[in-house]
Amino acid sequence: MNFGVQPIPDNEIFAVFRGDRLEYQSNDGEGGLFWDVQAWGGTDYSKLWFKSEGFWLFDKETFEEAGVELFYSRNIATFWDLQAGVRHDFEPHPTRTFAALGIEGLARYWFEVDVTAYISQDGDLSANLEAEYDLLLSQRLILQPRFEIDVAVQEVEELSIGQGINDIELGARLRYEIRREFAPYIGVSWSRKLGETADLAEADGESIETTSLVAGIKFWF
């Protein structure tokens, strides 16, 4: 009999560091290094997550974007976690801090989905949706289509963010898993600003559409 003394396997603590995308992007001639890394520690049901995304422009030697997120994550259903936490954007300026609430998991047919809503310190509401799918061409060669969209409820003029759908990104990356923990890849990524955000970008003389060839590594340990 256990009497509550023996440790329960479900309560064992694990930790993972994962680089989903660490890659060079050609970015229509303005090449740079993009990163999308995550780390978590905790049990099967409760975890602390750290996430970071950003883009460093080689020619300008500056960050185009850089941000970090910290979440408490709780398993609420098979393959689904509810996440609540904070996000801080170091770039672009002015910097902003958000409260965040999201859900992450595997949808039907094994689509990996991540949806997060944000409210900034100024009360601006926004949301991000990401979805990707692993298509196994062989046991080691995997094609991963990817979709991402950003939405804002209010206009944020100082950051050239319009009301409505801000931008959309489509990508496909072909990786070869040398080991499960290490996989180099190549691919292509296309993004476009939409609606009022596109109007604001055009008024500032910025491009609203970008196509990038990408090459990078996916890893975890």
Side-chain angles (χ1 to χ4, degrees):
M1 298 181 69
N2 190 329
F3 294 110
V5 175
Q6 293 295 326
I8 300 172
D10 285 348
N11 286 333
E12 187 173 351
I13 294 176
F14 302 95
V16 171
F17 183 86
R18 195 171 76 193
D20 283 342
R21 290 176 293 163
L22 181 61
E23 64 190 26
Y24 168 80
Q25 293 188 357
S26 62
N27 199 33
D28 282 344
E30 291 187 275
L33 177 68
F34 177 84
W35 74 88
D36 173 9
V37 298
Q38 307 177 4
W40 60 261
T43 66
D44 287 343
Y45 296 99
S46 297
K47 298 181 180 69
L48 284 178
W49 279 80
F50 169 83
K51 304 180 181 182
S52 178
E53 281 191 21
F55 188 54
W56 170 263
L57 290 167
F58 290 138
D59 289 344
K60 296 180 180 177
E61 296 184 343
T62 186
F63 292 102
E64 184 176 83
E65 59 182 74
V68 297
E69 296 176 291
L70 184 64
F71 288 104
Y72 169 74
S73 176
R74 179 69 181 176
N75 180 256
I76 56 172
T78 304
F79 303 129
W80 289 99
D81 286 355
L82 181 68
Q83 299 182 329
V86 294
R87 163 185 155 192
H88 183 75
D89 289 348
F90 297 98
E91 294 286 349
H93 281 277
T95 62
R96 295 198 296 171
T97 302
F98 304 81
L101 181 65
I103 187 168
E104 179 174 358
L106 285 175
R108 197 172 182 183
Y109 303 115
W110 301 101
F111 283 90
E112 189 170 334
V113 177
D114 186 355
V115 184
T116 309
Y118 301 96
I119 180 168
S120 75
Q121 76 270 27
D122 299 321
D124 301 316
L125 294 169
S126 59
N128 170 268
L129 183 151
E130 300 178 19
E132 57 191 33
Y133 180 78
D134 279 351
L135 179 62
L136 272 65
L137 304 180
S138 72
Q139 289 299 314
R140 293 179 180 271
L141 192 63
I142 299 165
L143 179 65
Q144 185 185 68
R146 188 175 183 282
F147 168 80
E148 181 172 351
I149 190 169
D150 291 300
V151 178
V153 176
Q154 295 94 0
E155 177 181 306
V156 185
E157 188 174 358
E158 60 269 32
L159 290 171
S160 297
I161 296 174
Q163 186 181 38
I165 299 176
N166 302 140
D167 51 62
I168 184 173
E169 179 179 339
L170 299 173
R173 290 164 176 80
L174 181 67
R175 71 176 186 269
Y176 183 80
E177 291 189 344
I178 297 172
R179 297 168 55 92
R180 293 285 296 173
E181 301 90 342
F182 183 81
Y185 63 81
I186 58 174
V188 62
S189 176
W190 173 85
S191 63
R192 193 183 196 284
K193 293 181 172 61
L194 300 171
E196 293 182 5
T197 302
D199 296 338
L200 291 169
E202 288 182 321
D204 292 338
E206 299 177 3
S207 172
I208 64 170
E209 185 174 320
T210 303
T211 302
S212 285
L213 299 176
V214 305
I217 56 172
K218 180 183 177 76
F219 63 93
W220 60 270
F221 56 86

